[in-house]
Amino acid sequence: QVQLVESGGGLVQAGDSLRLSCAASARTFYAMGWFRQAPGKEREFVAGITWSEGNTDSVDSVKGRFTISRHYAKNTAYLQMNSLKPEDTAVYYCAVGRLPGRVDYWGQGTQVTVSS
């Protein structure tokens, strides 16, 4: 089992930046990613990174604003969020999967609130 601990959420104004972190208890996964869920909406994929190669992917709505990266030795991924918008407000969840396209473990979530 992999435990995920997220940090870095908060309340910011539109245009500000935040960096989320996700630390995994073990390096036994293929990829780590960030998802988010806004009130009344389904959880959606935001960005992901393969752990060995460092290949990244992200949803179109955050391209050019959000960057996912990792510190391989620390089993930690980061989501740098710039130019935040009110529509980015959501609970952000870290997740890992042992195979492509699969989520096996979720973090507890961290709230990001962007005021206009």
Side-chain angles (χ1 to χ4, degrees):
Q1 186 171 357
V2 179
Q3 295 180 330
L4 304 171
V5 179
E6 301 139 333
S7 60
L11 171 63
V12 297
Q13 294 185 332
D16 286 351
S17 298
L18 276 176
R19 189 177 81 155
L20 305 183
S21 299
C22 178
S25 61
R27 194 183 308 146
T28 56
F29 49 88
Y30 168 78
M32 184 180 289
W34 290 95
F35 294 73
R36 66 186 179 186
Q37 187 166 19
K41 295 188 177 181
E42 293 186 352
R43 191 172 299 188
E44 66 169 348
F45 170 78
V46 177
I49 187 166
T50 60
W51 209 249
S52 293
E53 297 83 7
N55 295 326
T56 63
D57 189 19
S58 62
V59 68
D60 286 347
S61 61
V62 307
K63 287 185 189 296
R65 300 189 299 122
F66 292 10
T67 302
I68 188 169
S69 61
R70 77 193 189 317
H71 191 301
Y72 184 86
K74 292 184 178 180
N75 295 340
T76 299
Y78 307 95
L79 186 67
Q80 178 66 44
M81 306 186 294
N82 299 329
S83 302
L84 282 161
K85 303 176 181 180
E87 51 263 43
D88 295 318
T89 295
V91 178
Y92 283 70
Y93 297 90
C94 176
V96 296
R98 290 179 169 161
L99 293 171
R102 194 173 93 177
V103 174
D104 293 294
Y105 301 103
W106 293 93
Q108 79 282 2
T110 185
Q111 177 70 46
V112 172
T113 303
V114 184
S115 64
S116 58

